[in-house]
Amino acid sequence: MTEKVAVYIGTTHGPVRIERIRQEPVPLSEVFIGRGIEPLAEISAEYENFVRPGRPVDKAFGPFSNVSFRMDLSKEIKAGKSWQLAAFVAHGLQTSGLLAGPEDKPGRVIILTGMV
């Protein structure tokens, strides 16, 4: 059995886990805390740009047609772009079925920071 990988974003306020990434038939890609219903406004706008057609996630793992993404985090990230590398890697792991969810016991843990 292949080990699942937990991905954390290294921030100045400590690590933030990417708990899940889901494809959804909604107009915009957004970022939430856990399974919350209020998106994190500033990072969601940046994330929408990051995953849309022709951008890094779509180029590497797409193309995705008529789909948006929901990314759930363990806690809030207020600003900056240090989440990009971790989100990029998490999308690749999710595409392969290897991203550890919050209920999974990961075989590996990675902490990433930086822009793509």
Side-chain angles (χ1 to χ4, degrees), residues 92-106:
L93 290 166
Q94 180 64 32
T95 299
S96 302
L98 298 175
L99 180 63
E103 298 84 25
D104 295 323
K105 182 177 179 185

Side-chain angles (χ1 to χ4, degrees), residues 12-91:
T12 55
H13 298 289
V16 175
R17 185 171 179 176
I18 298 176
E19 294 185 335
R20 66 187 65 78
I21 296 174
R22 300 273 190 249
Q23 291 185 14
E24 296 186 332
V26 296
L28 295 173
S29 294
E30 296 180 303
V31 179
F32 297 83
I33 297 173
R35 293 189 183 261
I37 59 171
E38 290 295 322
L40 300 175
E42 185 171 331
I43 192 171
S44 286
E46 294 286 336
Y47 180 65
E48 165 65 19
N49 184 51
F50 190 67
V51 299
R52 71 181 183 173
R55 302 296 290 157
V57 169
D58 181 71
K59 283 184 172 183
F61 310 114
F64 302 102
S65 59
N66 299 321
V67 70
S68 293
F69 295 95
R70 175 190 172 111
M71 183 168 69
D72 294 334
L73 304 177
S74 62
K75 60 185 179 179
E76 185 174 11
I77 296 175
K78 295 194 185 259
K81 296 184 182 182
S82 64
W83 56 268
Q84 288 184 349
L85 181 58
F88 182 81
V89 170
H91 270 274

